Structures are given as structure tokens and as C-alpha cells.
Amino acid sequence: MTQEFLLSVTPVEGDKYLIRTEHERMSAGVPVAQEIVTWQVEDWIEQAAKLMDDPLLGLLRSGTPTSATPPNSSSNSNLVLLGQQLYHALFQGTIRDSWLAAQGIAQNQHDILRLRLGLMDNRLPRLPWEVMNGGDRPLATGTDVVFSRYQVGGIPAYVGGGSCGPLRILMVLSAPTDQDQLKLHEEANHLREELERDRSSHQGPEIELKILEQPGREQLTQDLEQGNYDIFHYAGHSHWGTAGGDLYLVNSRTGLTEALSGEDLAGLLVNNGVRMAVLNSCRGGHGATATGDSIENLADALLRRGVPAILAMAERIPDDVALSLSRLFYRNLKQGYPIDLSLNRSRQGLISSYGSHQLYWALPILYLRPEFDGYLHNVGTYAIDPIDMMNSPMVMDFESLPMDDFEGVMDLSLDDDYASDRSTIADLMQGLDPSPTSMFPSSTPLRQSPVDDLLVLGKSLQNSGDLTGAIDAYGQALKLDGQNAVIYDCLGTALQQYGNLPEALSAYRMAVQLDPTLDSAQANLNAIRQGNPSRGSQIESPGQAAVFGNSKRRQKSDIAPFWKKPASIAIASIAAMGLGFGAIKLSEKSNGKNDPIVAVSNDSNTSNSNTSSSDISLLVATATEEFNKKNPRRAQESVEALLNQNALVAAETALTAASSDQLNIHGISYLRGRLSWEFAAQGNTLHSPQDARRYWVIAAQKQSNNSAYQNALGWSYYMEKNYDLSTSAWTQVLTLTESDKTSKDRAMATIGLALNYMQMAKKDSKKSQSLKVEAVKLRDRAFKARPDDFTEKSIANNWLWTEKMIGDFKELRSL
């Protein structure tokens, strides 16, 4: 099965856009979300245009990419950077929360997650959203998440039912004599050979191919009307234009170009029930190098008329790449995969064939109507288990693979033919581990099961510092053998190194429960309970030693600090394998009543260094249990205690147990804002002050008479240099605390107002002196009310103070 996650992006004004989830098509349990964001779209388009118009991509279609072509590492790294920028710009705030929830649900149910992005704008489609990169790889190249675009609005597509008979493809070859000559016959022959290969043994649909060479408009129209085709495949020239772009056919009398507009082509396809158009031509889709707001392409026209699926190219594409893409795509489609998964796998095949330094994999753009599930055939006839879809080997185009430049590809299939890939896995292990002989000592035979090899992979990744990769490898092993104590033991050590002690505790408990004689797990479990854990156990079980041999561990200093890594990756990995806190049994700490939520104050300072790791583990477990028992007040107290100990990762872990309704409680929203505020202050790019402000707005809206919420909101506005809104929030604090003139919130709000006056004095030269006088009066009033709050030590221990605020405060103090 597949899970759906649809996002639509609509322009609001200027550079502001509304992102929202389309909840009608999403799974139960995924929270509805929307955000208004500000994007520098023109800057991104400029970056993308430079990357996608790289000289390597500027070859004519007759050009041949080879292994001798020098890698453009600069372009590759810049493309990764742009992909990360697009990913974090799209998935922020509540949208990110909803996305992580959808990923967790899909992983836990072993389903593919289908990400569909709808863009209502004439600029946004020009961006290469296919390169979005969440950290380890582009989203559009995996098998757990598949990616496509859709057009918001337009004529609804008639998708009909899946074909019960063979899939029928009309392949049109068009090379007018006045255009650059292409390898069209070679493409057709390769495709015919591919479809004929293994015809008797494959499990997918039968595919019938008709090749139509050099047709004019009349012949094309006649064939479409009579053929009852599912797929229209065009190989030739196309270009942007003002009427839905142009596709070039051949005039039967002159042999010269006969243009067919995108609008006319769309009418032909829709009227004849064609469900997919494959435009293996240049610039059939949206591209960054297009110029002019009125420029349209073939995909625009087909989308408007409701063609269910369109595969088009963003930019010029070399002939050999076009051949490889066609072969890969239909090879996957023939195996019964849906369109979007087939393309994701094909992109990975292009990376394997040409290397990631070539940008060819980013050129194909897939548009799928939201109501279309991507299956061109009857799913019941050729149903494929989602696990098989995700775990089956990537199909690669070895015929065009530049073997001299081949760096090694691991084909980690988990089927009966697994043993045939063992030598490849061994080579990969050697490439990952800086000491390969320790991984495969001469006296240690290769392991005989995929579980053991996954353990080896996890160990190697763990030794090299890739803890999230190790956690994922151990998670895959648990999917194969969920009763293996050694796997849980290994997982515990990786989680411990990552700094996620609550989950490490749970993993060790599972290991001991499954095998009470596993001394290493018991020792690590006791160390965490006693508050004396090392970041990564030094104890190996006999079971680990049997699998790994005498593997060497990296020292603590060699491992990237866990706070530099996104905690959500580890959490998602654990969610995928169903490992949580169910194994931890705690003594009852409350009377079981659902007490009303109490408001949170910011009176607590942070960073109590006397708190042990066992205390933190207990707090996380308590919060998780109370969320599950629908006691959000108790859970809130534990989360706040974690934040007061500066245990940010643990607090974020605890909050993942909250339901969407619980997350919207004003006290929980306030703590979520505080978490984002503190993470951002530490340089965590997954959080921002804007995230904090959004949560605090929710909290203040639900309880407007809470001075802590208004005070925090004021500081978030101050950091955004929105002095009018910060003044409004802090004035509200003064009104709320009129009866307690020495309250902490009142003193902080007073200092905030003083800083506002100081900032306004810099902008208004005429009133500068009088504004400074008011700033000094307010400053002195706050100092008099709570002098101890504004010492250097108190400020350093108060989570609310950021580096910028401290700098401004020093300036205020010097007035």
C-alpha cells in the first residue's frame, strides 16, 4: 500500500506563500498543517538556472556523456545545497511536524509514502523540486518516499480503472530534416528489446509497443483515434512557447518541421483516453532557464486538460541519457510498479550509470493528478507487496554504465538470491570501514544471513561516525528478526552514542528480556540506570564478537556530536521498527486524574548539571506514559523539567508521544516554542525563532491572559525586528502583572520595552535623545524590581536570552 502526503503552495503577496496539507487524501493520524512563509524565489531560480545550464548539460542531444567527462564536483555540491534549501524551506514549522508524522506512520506500516507537491504560481514550477534533499539523499531517488508534482486546479482527470489487458504504447519518432538529428531509431530499438526481454517470466503487465515514424498531424491523429493507447511516448524535439509549447512533427510533403501546439496535443490525448504522456524531448516540462512569465511548455497544456500522468524533461537532455531513461523507466513499469516509483528507481539508475556528479537524474519531471494512483494496470492482477517495492534491487542500466568510472554499487536485496550479492556487500564494508581487515579478518568467514550482514553494515557505519545510518541498518535487521537480542544490544550502543538515552534504555531492556544471559546489555542497562553511562558502550557481547570479529571502536572525540545531527532522523528510524517505550514499566506517579492544564511560566532557569542520565530517561519515559494515558498536564511537567535541564533532544523525543490534540494545548505549544527557541540558539538548522513564534502565537491565542506567553511572544517579535508587535505584547504583560510589580515576566517585558526605545532611537534622529531617556528609565525600573535577574550569571542561565539579545542588553546597560 501507499500513504499519501499532498502539499499545495499558493502565492499570497510578493514573496509570501501559503503552504498547506491537503488533508482529504492523507492518512489518519497525520495532523493538518499550514504555514505562511517568505521565500526568495528569484534567488533560487537564478541558482538553479546556473546549475541546470551547466556546460555538461549544454551538449546537443547528439553529444555522448562518457566516463572521460570530468566530474563537476562544484555543481554537484551546489545542487545538494540548493536541494537542502528547498527541503527546509518547504518543510518548516507545523508542515515539518505533519511530514515527520506521515513518515513515521508509513514506516511503521511498511508502506511507501507518496509525496505530491502542488504549485499554483508561474515561478515556483521552474524550481528543480526533484533535488530536494532531506540530509542523506534526494527524496526523488529513493523507494520509501516517491515524489511527483501536480497542478492545483485544472480539469479533473479521467483516470478510469487499471488496464486488465496489455498496456499499449504509441511511440512517435520525429526528426524533421531542418532540426538536429537524433538517435531515434536506436531509442526505439532499445525500447523494443527491453519490452521483449523476459516476456514469459516477468510478473507485471504485458506491454504492446507500436512505433510511428516521422508522422505529420494527420497521421498522428488517425493513430491515436484508432489505437486505444495507454501511453503516448514522444521522442524528438519540443520547446517552450506561448500556446502550451510546441511539439515538432514532420510534414509529409516537405520533410520539414510541422509544429503541433501543446493545446492541440492535449486535446488529442484527452479525447482518445491516453492516460500518460512521456515526452522524451528537450524542455517539455518546467525549467529554471525558461525566460518570460508568458512562456509555457507541453506539460502546462496537458495538465490544464487533465492528462493523468506526464513525464517531461526540464532542460536539454543528451541522447544517451534519453535512451537510458526510457529503458530504465519501462523496465520498472513492466515489473508492475506505479509510475512514480518507477521513475524514482530510474533516477537512481541514472545516478548509478553516470555518477551523482552528472545532473541528468534531476532532469525528468513527473506530474501526477491527485486522483490518480499511478498504476496504469490493474493492481489486483499484478499486486506487489510494498516491502518488495522498497527492498528489491534498484534497476540499473548496465549496458551504458561507464565501468571505468564505476565506484561500486551495493544491491542489497533481501530475497532468496541474497547470497549472490555477498561479495559486493563485502566490498562495500571495506569501503566504509577505515580498517577493513578488522571487519573481515582472514579467520572470519563471510556471514551466512542478511541479518548478520546488516549488523556488519551497522557496525561499520557506527565506527565511521554515521550513527543515523547505523540505527537504520539495525532497524532493517529487526524487521527481519525482531526477536534477536544481539540486534537490540547493537541498537542500544548506537542510540547511546547518538545521545538518545531513553531509546537506548528501551533497546537494552528488550535485549535482556530476550536473552537474560547477555551480559553486555545488562551492564549497559545498569550503567544508564545508575546515571553513569558512557557515550557508547565499550562492552561487546559474545554475540556481537561472533558477528563482527575484533572490530575497533572509535573514541568519543571521533564521533560527530549528537546535537549536530537532527534528532528526528533517529526518532523516525525507531518508529519504523516499532520500537518505543512499551518495554519500560514505571511506577505510578500520579493519581490518574486528568487534571486541567496549568499555565507554564518562565521562572525556571536551565542547565542543572547535577541531573543524571537516569533522571532524564525517567522524565522522558514518564512524559511518554502520561501522554499515552491522556494526562497531558503530567506529561507537560516532565517535558518542562527536561527543558530546565537543557535536555533538548530528550524533550523533543518526549513530545513525539503527544497526539495532535495534545500538541495544540496552550501549555504544550508554549514548551514546543521554547524547544525551537533553544535549539535555534544552539545553531540547530531544523529549528528557527520563527518556529518558536508560531507555537507561542498558538499558546497566546488559547490563553491570552498568560504573561509568560505574551512575554516570550514579545521577544520573538523583537528578534524579527518587529518592534510594534513586540511593544504590543510587552504592554499586555505590564497590564496582566499590574498587581505584581516584581514579577519576573514584568521585569523582562520592561527590559524589552527599553530595548525597543533604544532601537527606535537609532532610526529617529529627531527624537533620539528623548527615546534614549525613556529607555534608561525603563531599564532602571527593571533593575530596581529584580536586580538579581540581570546579573551576568542569571542571564547566562536564562534560556530566553539569545546572543543577540545579550549584545543589545549590554548596549542598553551602557547608556
Side-chain angles (χ1 to χ4, degrees), residues 56-57 59-69 183 317-322 324 353-354 357-358 360 400-402:
L56 291 175
L57 296 178
L59 299 171
L60 297 175
R61 278 179 57 94
S62 58
T64 302
T66 67
S67 59
T69 304
K183 299 179 180 179
I317 180 169
D319 260 2
D320 283 27
V321 180
S324 296
S353 297
Y354 299 106
H357 59 274
Q358 303 279 19
Y360 305 133
S400 61
L401 186 64

Side-chain angles (χ1 to χ4, degrees), residues 321-363:
V321 180
L323 296 176
S324 296
L325 176 62
S326 294
R327 186 161 45 230
L328 289 164
F329 178 70
Y330 287 110
R331 185 181 301 172
N332 281 282
L333 204 62
K334 188 174 69 170
Q335 295 182 37
Y337 298 129
I339 294 169
D340 44 6
L341 179 58
S342 294
L343 182 58
N344 266 38
R345 293 166 64 89
S346 300
R347 286 196 184 100
Q348 184 61 54
L350 291 178
I351 292 175
S352 301
S353 297
Y354 299 106
S356 61
H357 59 274
Q358 303 279 19
L359 309 184
Y360 305 133
W361 63 270
L363 295 181

Side-chain angles (χ1 to χ4, degrees), residues 664-721:
N664 285 323
I665 294 171
H666 60 82
I668 303 296
S669 292
Y670 173 78
L671 293 180
R672 295 178 77 192
R674 175 178 168 182
L675 178 68
S676 290
W677 185 268
E678 293 193 67
F679 262 136
Q682 292 186 4
N684 188 315
T685 57
L686 294 179
H687 297 265
S688 70
Q690 289 74 29
D691 292 333
R693 186 246 303 155
R694 281 187 283 268
Y695 294 132
W696 288 338
V697 165
I698 294 173
Q701 287 175 342
K702 291 181 179 293
Q703 192 177 77
S704 58
N705 63 347
N706 187 288
S707 60
Y709 302 168
Q710 296 290 348
N711 180 48
L713 192 55
W715 286 108
S716 68
Y717 287 134
Y718 178 83
M719 289 290 289
E720 296 176 14
K721 299 182 179 180

Side-chain angles (χ1 to χ4, degrees), residues 101-176:
Q103 285 182 298
I105 291 172
Q107 290 171 346
N108 194 44
Q109 297 180 9
H110 307 305
D111 288 340
I112 293 172
L113 182 58
R114 175 172 277 144
L115 171 61
R116 304 183 193 241
L117 181 61
L119 305 168
M120 184 181 288
D121 183 55
N122 59 1
R123 296 186 303 165
L124 293 179
R126 293 168 58 189
L127 291 169
W129 295 99
E130 287 68 24
V131 307
M132 279 194 298
N133 192 317
D136 56 344
R137 59 169 172 76
L139 289 181
T141 62
T143 55
D144 52 343
V145 174
V146 293
F147 176 77
S148 63
R149 306 186 188 192
Y150 71 94
Q151 186 181 57
V152 180
I155 299 175
Y158 172 72
V159 298
S163 175
C164 295
L167 288 182
R168 305 199 67 202
I169 303 173
L170 176 64
M171 184 176 193
V172 174
L173 309 181
S174 179

Side-chain angles (χ1 to χ4, degrees), residues 375-555:
Y375 285 97
L376 290 168
H377 56 278
N378 190 309
V379 181
T381 306
Y382 306 107
I384 300 176
D385 190 277
I387 297 299
D388 293 336
M389 289 187 185
M390 290 187 281
N391 290 336
S392 60
M394 287 289 183
V395 178
M396 292 173 287
D397 187 15
F398 287 106
E399 296 173 20
S400 61
L401 186 64
M403 297 304 294
D404 292 340
D405 193 41
F406 183 56
E407 297 178 353
V409 179
M410 182 181 73
D411 187 6
L412 188 58
S413 57
L414 302 179
D415 53 23
D416 294 337
D417 297 326
Y418 182 82
S420 64
D421 297 318
R422 300 185 53 73
S423 60
T424 307
I425 297 174
D427 292 339
L428 180 73
M429 297 304 106
Q430 292 184 348
L432 289 174
D433 194 309
S435 178
T437 55
S438 68
M439 189 60 64
F440 291 101
S442 57
S443 60
T444 304
L446 284 175
R447 278 134 302 277
Q448 298 301 311
S449 75
V451 170
D452 287 345
D453 280 327
L454 283 168
L455 284 172
V456 171
L457 175 60
K459 182 72 167 187
S460 180
L461 292 169
Q462 191 174 345
N463 287 345
S464 65
D466 184 0
L467 297 178
T468 55
I471 291 169
D472 185 63
Y474 297 142
Q476 294 292 331
L478 281 175
K479 289 180 183 179
L480 298 176
D481 186 358
Q483 301 298 310
N484 190 317
V486 173
I487 303 176
Y488 280 105
D489 192 17
C490 294
L491 177 62
T493 63
L495 289 166
Q496 201 170 331
Q497 284 182 313
Y498 188 88
N500 193 335
L501 294 180
E503 292 285 14
L505 182 67
S506 182
Y508 288 139
R509 288 186 63 114
M510 285 296 296
V512 172
Q513 181 178 338
L514 291 168
D515 184 0
T517 66
L518 199 59
D519 294 338
S520 60
Q522 186 65 63
N524 292 324
L525 183 62
N526 293 338
I528 293 178
R529 284 170 169 169
Q530 294 166 8
N532 187 33
S534 62
R535 288 274 303 282
S537 167
Q538 302 298 315
I539 305 173
E540 283 189 348
S541 69
Q544 290 189 41
V547 172
F548 303 128
N550 297 319
S551 60
K552 82 172 181 182
R553 289 187 179 272
R554 291 239 177 159
Q555 297 302 314

